[in-house]
Amino acid sequence: MTPLLALVSQPVDEAVEALPRVDVAWSAIAPVLILVGGGLLLLVVGSLARREPLHGSYALATTVIAGGATATAVGLWDRVQDEARGPFSTLADSYGVDGFSTFATVVICAGVILGALSLDGWLRRERMETAEPYVLMLLSASGGVIMASANDLIVMFLGLEILSLAVYVMAAMHLRRSTSQEAGIKYLVLGAFSSAFFLYGIALVYGGTGSTNLVRIAELFATSVLSNNGLVLAGLALLLVGFGFKVALVPFHSWSPDVYQGAPSPSVVWMASGVKVAGFVGLIRVFHLGFSSFALDWQPLIYALAAITVLVGAVLAVVQTDVKRMMAYSSISHAGFILVAVQAATDEGVQAALFYLAAYTFMVGGTFAVIALVGRTGDIRHSLSDYRGLSKDRPVLALALVVFLLAQAGVPLTSGFFGKFYVISAAVDAGSTWLAVFAMVSTVISAFLYLRIIVAMYMETDADGDDAREVRRFPIPFTAGLGVAFAVAVTLVAGIFPSVLADPAGDATPVLVAELPAEAPEAASP
Amino acid sequence: MSASLFAAETSYAVASSPLTAIIVLPFIGALTVACIPRARAELHRLVALLFSVGTGAITIWLLAAFETGEAGYQFEVERNWIADFGISWHVGIDGISLFLVVMSGLLFPLAMIAVTPHHDQKPYYAWLLLLQGACIGVFCALDLFVFFVMFELVLVPMYFLIGGWGYAERVYAALKFFIFTMLGSAFMLVGIVSLAFLHRDGERDSNVERVAEVQAEGDAQIDEIIGGAQDLDPNDPADAGQIADLSAQIDAITADIDARIAELENPKLDFDLVAIAEAQHVTDDSTSGNPLDWSAARWIFLAFAIAFAVKVPLFPLHTWLPDAHTQAPTAGSVILAAVLLKLGTYGFIRFGLYLFPEATVWFAPGMVTLGVIGIIYGAIVAAMQKDLKRLVAYSSVAHLGFIVLGTFALTTQGIQGSVLQMVNHGISTGALFLLVGMIYERRHTREIAALKGLQKPAPIFAAVFTVVMMSSIGLPGLNGFAGEFLILVGSFLTRRWWTVAAAAGVILAALYLLWAYQRVFHGEPDEDNADFAEMSWREGAILAPLLGLIVFLGVYPKPVLERMEPSVSALVSHIEDHSDFVEPGVAAGDDATSDAASDATSDADDASDDAGSADDDAHEEGH
């Protein structure tokens, strides 16, 4: 308990001094406020409403709330991109607003919208239409936004917990399926475990540096060299374990296939997109930004993790027969790919990782949205054989899934290809050519798995008559169709004109800025 | 490079180039077909043909508009695509790619007309159109990134064509095709990216001198201004205006110089093929056989070579080919053999030889050996086949071995022969696959043992088959001979013993094809084969243009050769300039079969083994 007490006491001391003169820049935390406030409002309205709400009204409300958060984030983006004003920090330097955090906020909100559109039809189909899943997702997203902006490890931890707790419930929310409960418990236990690692890491870093604030830590390392940095290194390793659990890096991945398989598919839309984005931006913020002077220490670790994650994810994905498990392993492989960009430890690497994350949100979110539809009532039809003949039953949906799968395989004219291209470029530029080769070869292995699904949809059409087909035809709710169409559009547009995403990602450099930006906007950037 | 700079300035003026049109038109066609509702099935074929024939017509117009005797790229277009990475939509064709483009423009409509799919017309035509656009895109691309995108894009439609409309083992064949090719391109992507970065670094190093020059130039200008201002009195108010004016000029010059130096010191990333190939920053002059001693160029060449070798396919990466060819629908086999395999051999010429002359010379013996193994192995395995389509597929392995042999002989004749043979193989093997497809349509089997005496009921069919087969064997007077002869002549100059072995392959080709012909067409037809239908007018009309080309190119290949000759010799002298390779026999004149040429062979062998013997100052030659 002692380190924890020390932790708690320190910010309080600082805050006591700082409070009188520090204003809270409300505009800076507007996205979080909108997400939390909107979520709570939705919860209240949902529990007070006497009548059944109009179809899709919760999804619409969630979309509007996420859209509002996006709009404020875009406003902040314009502010931080403005040469004269630049990035800034608020709340006693614990919350930073820069291009990186605003970009991540927009991507996370996009994940919320995809998740909400997928939830709508699904909840109606499962006769569970309530506001809570949406509320949980919005709260979870607020945690993600906090992680993207956290300049303090304690704030990062708060964000991580807010993000995770809501997702544990989302994983377990399918009451009638025991696998969903199992997924929830598994996620909770392992998630709590990883949080403990994370917290212990913070404690060690605090012990080593005397601060939990990334700005202070970066300042400290910029001006002084620790004679004994063992504590900091151990802390960093534990932080990496905590993040590794959250974004499912090998060897901390074992929860993810089980949870993805058991959890309700629309929850997985959010888990695979928003949660992973939040985990990665948190990781980049801590390692690339706060501990950039330790890059030589953590780069080899991340190099090894990246290599093993791309490979193990791809190989294990190939041998699955359950589509949700397949996609779980394939998203592990994607996480490895993003890590390849992170280990470059350059601005290009961050740009590549952000592009990949943005592209990934749409292609994987879209994939799970389709999976949620194909799962049909009960959310149980997820074996590969359930995809047989999908091209005949639902040709447009099958084609959309083909786009997502080819994008994940990295076929040109999709955003996934450019994601891979930028990552490879960043890695090669940083001198990790062999890691790039390794990652590309792993991509070929995982291409096999995407093709297996395509084969099932297009090439294993059994000779059933039209009657059988009519029986198999499942309805596609309008909202779900809209979400899938949205994801397809982004995947293709970013695949033909990658600048749409790559330019903002390139401008979204993360910086650590001490407070009082008006006088010295770039004073403390490392 | 000057060519690309010029293109960049005029890019918007020629935005509507014919090359962009022939790449984009099929894509638009594919979209259009995809948008036509399923109920209007009759429109699918019509619209698809319209777009495909339209594209083909433009390629034929290109043939007419192409300026003979020019070595450089024609119809060039360059437009920014992804500016940050120096990626641009840079397309253009020269004598080497022209005929491959025309062949693609010609064969796609023919394949579409020839075969109607038994089900799902709409996606079938959409995929074929997409494939056409991507294939033409590969042949036109002058930007490494655009090339890779097109090269990779080819996979998807072909995968769906094999998997969706193929025969019994189609799923396995399609998967194998996709995975093999993708594995190759995975290496190539890393190679391309590394090459672009290394080129940038090289550019930075080579700019060091330019920086000093620019600095000196600026200093001289400033000195001149100061010298001219000596008689001005700074205290005289009358001169104050002039002094202010002059100091503003000096500031402007300084700013300009600084900007230029900054640009020179931080060159942008560039994926332009011509710029990278002409600059030759990425080279490798180590003489060590130990891969760990190599610098980047050889590794990157290998990365490219794996991608192309899978596509060609070179022994031992060929195993996907018989499966894919046999299981693909007829149109798919035709396109696969005629166009897709050429992506690999064309890639070797355009991206292997041109980008890495030094590495090419280093790896040439190995590549030639693999080519010759392919010739002999393909022929022997083809002779053993029981399935007619598989036999033709393995014959492709042998033919493509010839093309690789000619390419890596690195002589003008050899490369010319290779390019000619690419076109010839496309025509002959395309026609052979069409014929085998027609046999299958009639008999629903391709097994050689089940076919017998077809000559009796279908003499015209047999005659057409004979002509096509003879062209594939390389009978003088038909197109196959012209190409094979040039390859053998060209490779004899530098690789005598390999050529001897390859020539044996010609005999083996005669063996397996004639034997197959004998078993299928000769003898008395049994019950099943007695009512084998004669060739219909429609089938004849489809094959007629191919037969015409077979005879025309065999008798008079000059129009083709004279258009590609300048580009090929420019390529060979590019290799000579940037490596210690010396092309033998050129000084002795074009009569390459003379004794002088064979004398030169041994000299050339010595020269290519002896590092640095001919590394003279002849680096001025541009492309």
Side-chain angles (χ1 to χ4, degrees), chain A residues 18 33 59 71 102 209 423 448 498 517:
Chain A
L33 292 180
T102 42
T209 62
V423 169
F448 180 71

Side-chain angles (χ1 to χ4, degrees), chain B residues 113-287:
Chain B
I113 297 170
V115 200
T116 326
H118 296 296
H119 60 94
D120 293 312
Q121 293 221 354
K122 176 169 136 168
Y124 175 84
Y125 287 116
W127 289 128
L128 264 181
L129 281 168
L130 199 61
L131 189 60
Q132 183 175 15
C135 285
I136 295 178
V138 171
F139 293 134
C140 295
L142 291 181
D143 182 285
L144 287 170
F145 189 82
V146 174
F147 169 77
F148 182 82
V149 165
M150 294 297 173
F151 192 82
E152 191 85 336
L153 205 56
V154 164
L155 282 185
V156 180
M158 200 65 219
Y159 168 75
F160 277 98
L161 282 172
I162 299 176
W165 290 268
Y167 298 102
E169 296 288 319
R170 61 183 189 275
V171 171
Y172 170 74
L175 266 179
K176 201 168 174 183
F177 164 76
F178 196 103
I179 298 289
F180 262 70
T181 323
M182 197 173 171
L183 185 68
S185 11
F187 290 108
M188 187 163 69
L189 180 63
V190 182
I192 287 176
V193 171
S194 317
L195 180 61
F197 279 107
L198 289 171
H199 171 73
R200 186 192 63 180
D201 296 346
E203 196 81 347
R204 187 184 295 140
D205 295 344
S206 71
N207 280 346
V208 170
E209 282 174 30
R210 287 277 301 137
V211 169
E213 273 173 39
V214 169
Q215 190 69 55
E217 192 184 313
D219 290 345
Q221 281 177 6
I222 292 171
D223 285 346
E224 197 178 320
I225 291 171
I226 293 172
Q230 286 302 334
D231 50 345
L232 295 175
D233 183 358
N235 298 323
D236 185 356
D239 287 347
Q242 209 177 342
I243 288 173
D245 191 35
L246 287 177
S247 61
Q249 273 184 34
I250 290 175
D251 287 348
I253 290 170
T254 318
D256 177 50
I257 295 296
D258 286 349
R260 278 170 64 189
I261 287 177
E263 199 175 306
L264 284 172
E265 282 176 342
N266 293 304
K268 276 187 151 182
L269 211 53
D270 197 356
F271 282 85
D272 195 88
L273 166 72
V274 185
I276 294 178
E278 294 295 340
Q280 285 296 323
H281 291 315
V282 186
T283 54
D284 196 337
D285 46 10
S286 94
T287 50

Side-chain angles (χ1 to χ4, degrees), chain A residues 351 391-392 395 399 402 406 409-413 417-418 420-422 424-426 428-429 433-434 436-437 440-441 443-444 447-448 451-452 454-455 458-460 495-499 502-503, chain B residues 27 38 81-85 87 119-120 127 145 148-150 152-153 156 159-160 162-164 170-171 174-175 178-180 182-187 189-190 192-194 197 200 269 271 299:
Chain A
Q351 177 190 5
S391 66
K392 289 277 189 296
L399 198 62
V402 167
L406 291 181
V411 169
L413 302 191
F417 170 67
F418 281 103
K420 297 224 151 73
F421 172 71
Y422 289 131
I424 293 298
S425 298
V428 169
D429 198 17
T433 312
W434 288 111
V437 171
M440 282 310 292
V441 173
T443 312
V444 179
F448 180 71
L451 292 183
R452 273 182 78 194
I454 294 178
V455 164
Y458 280 82
M459 295 160 198
E460 288 179 357
I496 298 168
F497 307 104
S499 316
D503 286 351
Chain B
F27 288 160
R38 241 161 231 276
W81 184 12
I82 306 163
D84 281 356
F85 277 76
I87 295 167
H119 60 94
D120 293 312
W127 289 128
F145 189 82
F148 182 82
V149 165
M150 294 297 173
E152 191 85 336
L153 205 56
V156 180
Y159 168 75
F160 277 98
I162 299 176
R170 61 183 189 275
V171 171
L175 266 179
F178 196 103
I179 298 289
F180 262 70
M182 197 173 171
L183 185 68
S185 11
F187 290 108
L189 180 63
V190 182
I192 287 176
V193 171
S194 317
F197 279 107
R200 186 192 63 180
L269 211 53
F271 282 85
W299 284 108

Side-chain angles (χ1 to χ4, degrees), chain A residues 40-107:
Chain A
L40 294 180
L41 193 69
L42 196 61
L43 183 66
V44 172
V45 172
S47 24
L48 293 183
R50 297 231 180 115
R51 286 187 293 124
E52 282 270 297
L54 282 175
H55 283 344
S57 51
Y58 290 142
L60 181 69
T62 311
T63 308
V64 169
I65 294 166
T70 308
T72 51
V74 170
L76 284 172
W77 168 270
D78 288 342
R79 188 204 180 290
V80 296
Q81 293 299 329
D82 186 353
E83 294 276 325
R85 303 165 85 187
F88 62 99
S89 293
T90 182
L91 293 168
D93 283 353
S94 65
Y95 192 90
V97 178
D98 51 27
F100 181 77
S101 67
T102 42
F103 186 91
T105 305
V106 173
V107 175

